[in-house]
Coordinates of all heavy atoms in Angstrom, one line a residue:
M1 N -30.3 -126.1 129.8 CA -30.1 -125.2 128.7 C -31.4 -124.6 128.2 O -32.3 -125.4 127.9 CB -29.3 -125.9 127.6 CG -28.8 -125.0 126.5 SD -27.4 -124.0 127.1 CE -26.1 -125.2 127.2
S2 N -31.4 -123.4 128.0 CA -32.6 -122.7 127.5 C -32.2 -121.7 126.5 O -31.1 -121.3 126.3 CB -33.4 -122.0 128.6 OG -33.5 -122.9 129.7
L3 N -33.2 -121.3 125.8 CA -33.0 -120.3 124.7 C -33.7 -119.0 125.0 O -34.8 -119.0 125.5 CB -33.5 -120.9 123.4 CG -32.8 -122.2 122.9 CD1 -33.5 -122.6 121.5 CD2 -31.3 -122.0 122.7
C4 N -32.9 -118.0 124.6 CA -33.5 -116.6 124.8 C -34.6 -116.5 123.7 O -34.4 -116.8 122.6 CB -32.5 -115.6 124.5 SG -33.1 -113.9 124.3
P5 N -35.8 -116.1 124.2 CA -37.0 -116.0 123.2 C -36.7 -114.9 122.2 O -37.4 -114.8 121.2 CB -38.1 -115.7 124.2 CG -37.5 -115.1 125.4 CD -36.2 -115.7 125.5
E6 N -35.8 -114.0 122.5 CA -35.6 -112.9 121.6 C -34.5 -113.2 120.5 O -34.8 -113.0 119.3 CB -35.1 -111.7 122.4 CG -34.9 -110.5 121.6 CD -36.1 -109.8 121.0 OE1 -37.2 -110.2 121.5 OE2 -36.0 -109.0 120.1
C7 N -33.4 -113.8 120.9 CA -32.3 -114.0 120.0 C -31.9 -115.4 119.9 O -31.0 -115.8 119.1 CB -31.1 -113.1 120.3 SG -30.3 -113.6 121.8
D8 N -32.6 -116.3 120.6 CA -32.3 -117.7 120.6 C -30.9 -118.1 121.1 O -30.3 -119.1 120.7 CB -32.4 -118.3 119.1 CG -33.9 -118.4 118.8 OD1 -34.8 -118.3 119.7 OD2 -34.2 -118.5 117.6
A9 N -30.3 -117.2 121.9 CA -29.0 -117.5 122.5 C -29.2 -118.6 123.6 O -30.2 -118.6 124.2 CB -28.4 -116.2 123.0
E10 N -28.2 -119.4 123.7 CA -28.3 -120.4 124.8 C -27.9 -119.8 126.1 O -26.9 -119.2 126.3 CB -27.3 -121.6 124.4 CG -27.8 -122.3 123.2 CD -26.8 -123.5 123.0 OE1 -25.7 -123.5 123.6 OE2 -27.1 -124.3 122.1
I11 N -28.8 -120.0 127.1 CA -28.6 -119.5 128.4 C -28.6 -120.6 129.4 O -29.5 -121.4 129.4 CB -29.7 -118.5 128.8 CG1 -29.8 -117.4 127.7 CG2 -29.5 -117.9 130.2 CD1 -31.0 -116.4 128.0
E12 N -27.6 -120.7 130.1 CA -27.4 -121.8 131.1 C -27.5 -121.3 132.5 O -26.8 -120.4 132.9 CB -26.1 -122.5 130.9 CG -26.0 -123.8 131.5 CD -24.8 -124.6 131.1 OE1 -24.0 -124.1 130.4 OE2 -24.7 -125.8 131.5
L13 N -28.5 -121.8 133.2 CA -28.7 -121.4 134.6 C -28.4 -122.6 135.5 O -28.8 -123.7 135.2 CB -30.1 -120.8 134.8 CG -30.4 -119.5 134.1 CD1 -31.8 -119.1 134.3 CD2 -29.4 -118.4 134.5
V14 N -27.8 -122.4 136.7 CA -27.5 -123.5 137.6 C -28.7 -123.9 138.3 O -29.1 -125.0 138.3 CB -26.3 -123.1 138.5 CG1 -26.1 -124.2 139.5 CG2 -25.1 -122.7 137.8
S15 N -29.3 -122.9 139.0 CA -30.5 -123.2 139.8 C -31.5 -122.0 139.7 O -31.5 -121.2 140.6 CB -30.1 -123.5 141.2 OG -29.4 -122.5 141.8
P16 N -32.1 -121.9 138.6 CA -33.1 -120.8 138.4 C -34.3 -120.9 139.3 O -34.7 -122.0 139.6 CB -33.5 -120.9 137.0 CG -33.3 -122.3 136.6 CD -32.2 -122.8 137.5
D17 N -34.8 -119.8 139.7 CA -36.1 -119.8 140.5 C -37.2 -119.2 139.6 O -36.9 -118.3 138.8 CB -35.9 -119.0 141.8 CG -35.0 -119.7 142.7 OD1 -35.1 -120.9 142.9 OD2 -34.2 -119.1 143.4
I18 N -38.4 -119.6 139.9 CA -39.5 -119.0 139.2 C -39.5 -117.5 139.5 O -39.5 -117.1 140.7 CB -40.8 -119.7 139.6 CG1 -40.8 -121.2 139.2 CG2 -42.0 -119.0 138.9 CD1 -40.7 -121.4 137.7
G19 N -39.6 -116.7 138.5 CA -39.7 -115.3 138.7 C -38.4 -114.6 138.7 O -38.3 -113.4 138.8
E20 N -37.3 -115.4 138.7 CA -36.0 -114.8 138.7 C -35.8 -114.0 137.4 O -36.2 -114.5 136.3 CB -34.9 -115.9 138.8 CG -33.5 -115.3 138.9 CD -32.5 -116.4 139.2 OE1 -33.0 -117.5 139.7 OE2 -31.3 -116.2 139.0
I21 N -35.2 -112.9 137.5 CA -34.9 -112.1 136.3 C -33.4 -112.3 135.9 O -32.5 -112.1 136.7 CB -35.2 -110.6 136.5 CG1 -36.6 -110.4 136.9 CG2 -34.9 -109.8 135.2 CD1 -37.6 -110.8 135.9
V22 N -33.2 -112.7 134.7 CA -31.8 -112.8 134.2 C -31.7 -112.0 132.9 O -32.6 -111.7 132.2 CB -31.5 -114.3 133.9 CG1 -31.6 -115.2 135.2 CG2 -32.4 -114.9 132.8
S23 N -30.4 -111.7 132.6 CA -30.2 -110.9 131.4 C -29.5 -111.8 130.4 O -28.6 -112.6 130.7 CB -29.3 -109.7 131.7 OG -29.9 -108.8 132.5
C24 N -30.0 -111.8 129.2 CA -29.5 -112.5 128.1 C -28.1 -112.0 127.8 O -27.9 -110.8 127.6 CB -30.4 -112.4 126.9 SG -29.6 -113.2 125.4
P25 N -27.1 -112.9 127.8 CA -25.7 -112.5 127.5 C -25.5 -112.0 126.1 O -24.5 -111.4 125.8 CB -24.9 -113.8 127.8 CG -25.9 -114.9 127.6 CD -27.2 -114.4 128.0
E26 N -26.4 -112.4 125.2 CA -26.3 -112.0 123.8 C -26.9 -110.6 123.5 O -26.3 -109.7 123.0 CB -26.9 -113.1 122.9 CG -26.0 -114.3 122.8 CD -24.7 -114.0 122.0 OE1 -24.8 -113.2 121.1 OE2 -23.7 -114.5 122.4
C27 N -28.2 -110.5 123.8 CA -28.9 -109.3 123.5 C -29.2 -108.4 124.7 O -29.6 -107.3 124.5 CB -30.2 -109.7 122.8 SG -31.4 -110.5 123.8
G28 N -28.9 -108.9 125.9 CA -29.0 -108.1 127.0 C -30.5 -107.9 127.5 O -30.7 -107.2 128.4
L29 N -31.4 -108.6 126.9 CA -32.8 -108.5 127.2 C -33.0 -109.2 128.6 O -32.4 -110.2 128.9 CB -33.6 -109.2 126.2 CG -35.1 -109.0 126.3 CD1 -35.4 -107.5 125.8 CD2 -35.9 -109.9 125.4
E30 N -33.9 -108.5 129.4 CA -34.2 -109.1 130.7 C -35.2 -110.2 130.5 O -36.3 -110.0 129.9 CB -34.7 -108.0 131.6 CG -33.5 -107.1 132.1 CD -33.9 -106.3 133.3 OE1 -35.1 -105.9 133.4 OE2 -33.1 -105.9 134.1
L31 N -34.9 -111.3 131.1 CA -35.8 -112.5 131.0 C -36.3 -112.9 132.3 O -35.5 -113.0 133.3 CB -35.1 -113.6 130.2 CG -34.5 -113.2 128.9 CD1 -33.7 -114.4 128.3 CD2 -35.6 -112.9 127.9
E32 N -37.6 -113.3 132.4 CA -38.1 -113.8 133.6 C -38.2 -115.4 133.5 O -38.8 -115.9 132.5 CB -39.4 -113.2 133.9 CG -40.1 -113.7 135.2 CD -41.4 -113.0 135.5 OE1 -41.8 -112.2 134.7 OE2 -42.0 -113.4 136.5
V33 N -37.8 -116.1 134.5 CA -37.9 -117.5 134.5 C -39.3 -117.9 134.9 O -39.9 -117.5 135.9 CB -36.9 -118.1 135.6 CG1 -37.1 -119.7 135.6 CG2 -35.5 -117.8 135.3
I34 N -40.0 -118.6 133.9 CA -41.4 -118.9 134.2 C -41.6 -120.4 134.4 O -42.6 -120.9 134.7 CB -42.3 -118.4 133.0 CG1 -41.8 -119.1 131.7 CG2 -42.2 -116.9 132.9 CD1 -42.7 -118.8 130.5
S35 N -40.5 -121.2 134.1 CA -40.6 -122.6 134.3 C -39.2 -123.1 134.6 O -38.2 -122.6 134.2 CB -41.1 -123.3 133.0 OG -41.2 -124.7 133.2
R36 N -39.1 -124.2 135.5 CA -37.8 -124.7 135.9 C -37.5 -126.0 135.2 O -36.4 -126.4 135.1 CB -37.8 -124.9 137.4 CG -38.0 -123.5 138.1 CD -38.1 -123.8 139.6 NE -36.8 -124.3 140.2 CZ -36.6 -124.5 141.5 NH1 -37.6 -124.3 142.3 NH2 -35.5 -125.0 141.9
D37 N -38.6 -126.8 134.8 CA -38.3 -128.1 134.3 C -39.3 -128.4 133.1 O -40.3 -128.9 133.4 CB -38.4 -129.1 135.4 CG -38.0 -130.5 134.8 OD1 -37.3 -130.6 133.9 OD2 -38.5 -131.5 135.4
P38 N -38.9 -128.0 131.9 CA -37.6 -127.4 131.6 C -37.6 -125.9 131.8 O -38.7 -125.3 132.0 CB -37.5 -127.7 130.1 CG -39.0 -127.7 129.6 CD -39.7 -128.2 130.8
V39 N -36.4 -125.4 131.9 CA -36.3 -123.9 132.1 C -36.8 -123.2 130.9 O -36.4 -123.4 129.8 CB -34.9 -123.5 132.4 CG1 -34.7 -122.0 132.6 CG2 -34.3 -124.3 133.6
E40 N -37.8 -122.3 131.2 CA -38.3 -121.5 130.1 C -38.3 -120.0 130.5 O -38.5 -119.7 131.7 CB -39.7 -121.9 129.8 CG -39.8 -123.3 129.1 CD -41.2 -123.6 128.7 OE1 -42.1 -122.7 128.8 OE2 -41.5 -124.8 128.4
F41 N -38.1 -119.2 129.6 CA -38.1 -117.7 129.9 C -39.2 -117.0 129.2 O -39.8 -117.5 128.2 CB -36.8 -117.1 129.3 CG -35.6 -117.7 130.0 CD1 -34.7 -118.5 129.2 CD2 -35.3 -117.4 131.3 CE1 -33.6 -119.1 129.8 CE2 -34.1 -118.0 131.9 CZ -33.3 -118.8 131.1
D42 N -39.6 -115.9 129.8 CA -40.5 -115.0 129.2 C -39.8 -113.6 129.2 O -39.0 -113.4 130.1 CB -41.8 -115.0 129.9 CG -42.9 -114.3 129.0 OD1 -42.6 -113.9 127.9 OD2 -44.0 -114.2 129.5
I43 N -40.2 -112.8 128.3 CA -39.6 -111.5 128.3 C -40.1 -110.7 129.5 O -41.3 -110.5 129.6 CB -39.8 -110.8 127.0 CG1 -39.2 -111.6 125.8 CG2 -39.3 -109.4 127.0 CD1 -39.5 -111.0 124.4
A44 N -39.2 -110.3 130.3 CA -39.6 -109.5 131.5 C -40.2 -108.2 131.1 O -39.7 -107.5 130.2 CB -38.4 -109.3 132.4
P45 N -41.2 -107.8 131.7 CA -41.8 -106.5 131.4 C -40.9 -105.4 131.7 O -40.2 -105.4 132.8 CB -43.1 -106.4 132.3 CG -42.8 -107.4 133.4 CD -41.9 -108.4 132.9
E46 N -40.8 -104.4 130.9 CA -40.0 -103.3 131.1 C -40.5 -102.4 132.2 O -41.7 -102.2 132.3 CB -39.9 -102.4 129.8 CG -39.1 -103.2 128.7 CD -39.0 -102.3 127.5 OE1 -39.2 -101.1 127.7 OE2 -38.7 -102.8 126.4
R47 N -39.6 -102.0 133.0 CA -40.0 -101.1 134.1 C -40.1 -99.7 133.7 O -39.1 -99.1 133.3 CB -39.0 -101.3 135.3 CG -39.0 -102.6 135.9 CD -38.0 -102.7 137.0 NE -37.8 -104.1 137.5 CZ -36.8 -104.4 138.3 NH1 -36.0 -103.5 138.7 NH2 -36.6 -105.6 138.7
D48 N -41.3 -99.2 133.7 CA -41.4 -97.8 133.3 C -41.2 -96.9 134.6 O -41.7 -97.2 135.6 CB -42.8 -97.5 132.7 CG -42.9 -98.2 131.4 OD1 -41.9 -98.3 130.7 OD2 -44.0 -98.6 131.0
E49 N -40.4 -95.9 134.4 CA -40.2 -95.0 135.5 C -41.5 -94.2 135.7 O -42.3 -94.0 134.8 CB -39.1 -94.0 135.2 CG -37.7 -94.7 135.1 CD -36.6 -93.7 134.8 OE1 -36.9 -92.5 135.0 OE2 -35.5 -94.1 134.5
E50 N -41.7 -93.9 137.0 CA -42.9 -93.2 137.3 C -42.9 -91.8 137.0 O -43.2 -90.9 137.7 CB -43.2 -93.4 138.8 CG -43.5 -94.8 139.2 CD -43.7 -95.0 140.7 OE1 -44.0 -93.9 141.3 OE2 -43.7 -96.1 141.2
D51 N -42.4 -91.6 135.8 CA -42.2 -90.2 135.4 C -43.0 -89.9 134.1 O -42.6 -89.1 133.3 CB -40.7 -89.9 135.1 CG -40.2 -88.9 136.1 OD1 -41.0 -88.4 136.9 OD2 -39.0 -88.5 136.0
E52 N -44.0 -90.7 134.0 CA -44.8 -90.5 132.8 C -45.6 -89.3 132.8 O -46.4 -89.0 133.7 CB -45.7 -91.7 132.6 CG -45.0 -93.0 132.1 CD -45.9 -94.1 131.8 OE1 -47.1 -93.7 131.4 OE2 -45.5 -95.2 131.9
E53 N -45.4 -88.5 131.8 CA -46.2 -87.3 131.6 C -46.8 -87.3 130.3 O -46.1 -87.1 129.3 CB -45.3 -86.1 131.8 CG -45.1 -85.7 133.3 CD -44.5 -84.3 133.4 OE1 -44.9 -83.4 132.6 OE2 -43.5 -84.2 134.2
E54 N -48.0 -87.5 130.3 CA -48.7 -87.5 129.0 C -49.7 -86.4 128.9 O -50.6 -86.2 129.7 CB -49.5 -88.8 128.7 CG -48.6 -89.9 128.3 CD -49.4 -91.1 127.8 OE1 -50.5 -90.9 127.3 OE2 -48.9 -92.3 128.0
K55 N -49.4 -85.5 127.9 CA -50.3 -84.4 127.8 C -51.3 -84.7 126.7 O -51.0 -85.2 125.6 CB -49.5 -83.2 127.3 CG -48.6 -82.7 128.5 CD -47.9 -81.4 128.0 CE -46.9 -81.0 129.1 NZ -46.1 -79.8 128.7
E56 N -52.5 -84.5 127.0 CA -53.6 -84.8 126.0 C -53.7 -83.6 125.1 O -54.1 -82.5 125.6 CB -54.9 -85.1 126.7 CG -54.8 -86.4 127.4 CD -56.2 -86.8 128.0 OE1 -57.2 -86.1 127.6 OE2 -56.3 -87.7 128.8
E57 N -53.4 -83.8 123.9 CA -53.6 -82.7 123.0 C -54.5 -83.2 121.8 O -54.3 -84.2 121.3 CB -52.3 -82.3 122.4 CG -51.4 -81.5 123.3 CD -50.2 -80.9 122.7 OE1 -50.3 -80.6 121.5 OE2 -49.2 -80.9 123.3
E58 N -55.5 -82.4 121.6 CA -56.4 -82.7 120.5 C -56.2 -81.7 119.4 O -56.3 -80.5 119.6 CB -57.8 -82.8 121.0 CG -58.1 -83.9 121.9 CD -59.5 -84.0 122.3 OE1 -60.3 -83.4 121.5 OE2 -59.9 -84.6 123.3
D59 N -55.9 -82.2 118.3 CA -55.9 -81.4 117.1 C -57.2 -81.3 116.4 O -57.6 -82.2 115.7 CB -54.8 -81.9 116.1 CG -53.4 -81.6 116.7 OD1 -53.3 -80.6 117.3 OD2 -52.5 -82.4 116.4
L60 N -57.9 -80.3 116.7 CA -59.2 -80.1 116.1 C -59.1 -78.9 115.1 O -58.5 -77.9 115.3 CB -60.2 -79.8 117.1 CG -60.5 -80.9 118.1 CD1 -61.6 -80.4 119.1 CD2 -61.0 -82.1 117.4
G61 N -59.6 -79.2 114.0 CA -59.7 -78.1 113.0 C -58.8 -78.3 111.8 O -58.7 -77.4 111.1
Ligands
ZN1 ZN1 -31.1 -112.8 123.8

């Protein structure tokens, strides 16, 4: 039994693997299994789409 780091919901996994991504049933956050004994989660990094368009604008004046 493990707890979601975000909402402290109890998450039960049968046989988690390191690096496995699971979704919290409570808050829906994606969690990465970082430890198996005991099972611990870390918040999985959000996948940014490769559609980032950042325009550099400088407001001078
Ligand atoms: Zn949660």
Side-chain angles (χ1 to χ4, degrees):
M1 189 70 75
S2 309
L3 297 179
C4 169
E6 180 71 12
C7 68
D8 288 341
E10 293 181 350
I11 303 175
E12 197 169 6
L13 295 178
V14 179
S15 57
D17 290 320
I18 301 294
E20 184 176 341
I21 303 296
V22 299
S23 293
C24 171
E26 283 295 322
C27 67
L29 192 71
E30 288 194 330
L31 306 171
E32 179 178 1
V33 180
I34 59 173
S35 177
R36 296 175 66 179
D37 186 23
V39 177
E40 291 182 10
F41 299 109
D42 196 1
I43 298 177
E46 293 184 15
R47 293 178 191 170
D48 290 330
E49 295 181 12
E50 295 179 13
D51 247 0
E52 284 187 26
E53 274 191 45
E54 279 190 35
K55 291 180 183 177
E56 290 186 12
E57 283 187 39
E58 290 185 22
D59 286 326
L60 297 178

